Amino acid sequence: MTVIDFLFPKKCLGCPNEGNYFCSSCRSKIKSIDRLVCPVCENPSPFGKTHFSCRSRYGFNGLISFFAYEGIIREAIHQLKFKYVTDLADEFFEILLKIWNEDKDNRFLQIKRFIKEKNPVLVAVPLFWYKENQRGFNQAEIFAEKFAQLWSLEFKKDYLIRSKFTPPQAGLTQEQRKKNIEDVFSLNYNIQSPISNIILVDDIWTTGATLKTCGAILKKSGIKKVWGLTIAR
Ligand SMILES: [Zn+2]
Ligand SMILES: [Zn+2]
């Protein structure tokens, strides 16, 4: 905590209320995403499982997400990216936990089974569009750690690493984005351990290009099943 945090009390990220980053009024307006989708075609799919017809050798086995990327959620993700505040991350995760515990329509049934039966390891998508000298926090890593604790699974820090700098993705076409992130990520070969299953965590799913690239790297390395997990979509 810095002096600034002491001088300025916590303010709601969605309105002028003070005291919390998510005030009770704004909390009540937060909605989980309507339905989970197949990570390949992005059409609705029960439990976020990849449709049978969408399956491929290096593709995801499924994807879960929690919030729509809008309003206070969008703001919180943005804030965390540039200024890591423990309290904010904690409050954020607390709200996410409600959705997890509520488990509307049993949407998390399949990933719960995956967790229970396959004992997957949590891996975070590395921060990759920041220049080295720019301040940026890998919230994917922060959340991956929290999920690991929650589910009593192992979190492997820096399992995937960024191998070169690329310009920001914003403003690029889907094709350009795809090209942009090719060869950007690689496995950290300092980490030697036999892992069969992974839950790959990132903050947002937009085109899914980043996650798909990372997922394919993992599968090519011999990982059997990879589920994607994003905070928002
Ligand atoms: Zn508020
Ligand atoms: Zn599909």
Side-chain angles (χ1 to χ4, degrees):
M1 195 181 236
T2 65
V3 179
I4 302 291
D5 295 320
F6 277 114
L7 293 176
F8 299 95
K10 279 188 220 169
K11 208 174 136 304
C12 178
L13 296 174
C15 75
N17 283 342
E18 287 183 357
N20 290 92
Y21 292 107
F22 298 83
C23 78
S24 53
S25 155
C26 288
R27 265 178 204 233
S28 66
K29 288 178 210 144
I30 296 172
K31 286 193 192 110
S32 63
I33 53 164
D34 291 338
R35 48 182 68 169
L36 297 178
V37 298
C38 162
V40 179
C41 66
E42 297 190 32
N43 287 314
S45 172
F47 321 118
K49 221 177 154 183
T50 302
H51 294 123
F52 187 76
S53 57
C54 291
R55 284 191 208 161
S56 66
R57 198 170 167 197
Y58 300 132
F60 275 109
N61 296 84
L63 168 74
I64 65 160
S65 306
F66 292 86
F67 307 103
Y69 187 51
E70 61 183 26
I72 195 168
I73 294 298
R74 191 190 176 113
E75 187 57 29
I77 286 176
H78 185 81
Q79 291 280 328
L80 270 181
K81 193 167 270 184
F82 294 100
K83 182 170 161 259
Y84 178 59
V85 182
T86 322
D87 291 1
L88 171 54
D90 290 348
E91 270 188 47
F92 200 161
F93 197 69
E94 195 187 298
I95 291 162
L96 189 152
L97 265 182
K98 266 195 177 156
I99 292 174
W100 173 256
N101 290 331
E102 186 187 47
D103 196 6
K104 196 174 155 199
D105 316 318
N106 277 324
R107 55 174 59 179
F108 299 127
L109 184 81
Q110 205 66 40
I111 194 145
K112 278 180 177 167
R113 194 170 289 167
F114 184 55
I115 291 166
K116 202 174 161 204
E117 292 170 5
K118 304 291 182 188
N119 207 34
V121 164
L122 283 137
V123 169
V125 169
L127 263 187
F128 83 105
W129 53 269
Y130 285 101
K131 285 178 188 159
E132 301 300 339
N133 60 359
Q134 240 174 335
R135 220 167 86 139
F137 295 94
N138 191 354
Q139 51 192 334
E141 206 167 79
I142 294 156
F143 280 108
E145 247 179 315
K146 287 184 181 288
F147 282 114
Q149 263 182 16
L150 178 69
W151 296 327
S152 305
L153 297 173
E154 192 185 353
F155 164 59
K156 280 252 184 250
K157 189 175 157 66
D158 298 330
Y159 191 79
L160 280 167
I161 49 171
R162 185 194 68 181
S163 38
K164 73 174 187 195
F165 171 73
T166 49
Q169 297 280 73
L172 299 182
T173 66
Q174 196 154 342
E175 202 48 45
Q176 284 170 323
R177 277 177 185 234
K178 209 175 155 194
K179 183 121 190 53
N180 199 25
I181 56 172
E182 271 170 20
D183 305 323
V184 169
F185 300 106
S186 59
L187 279 184
N188 183 355
Y189 286 101
N190 294 322
I191 296 179
Q192 299 275 350
S193 67
I195 292 176
S196 311
N197 301 289
I198 279 178
I199 296 174
L200 182 60
V201 180
D202 205 1
D203 51 1
I204 332 159
W205 176 282
T206 41
T207 65
T210 310
L211 268 145
K212 282 176 184 170
T213 303
C214 290
I217 292 170
L218 295 173
K219 284 226 157 162
K220 281 174 191 169
S221 79
I223 304 294
K224 290 194 187 84
K225 287 192 172 174
V226 180
W227 271 71
L229 182 161
T230 68
I231 304 308
R233 195 190 77 221

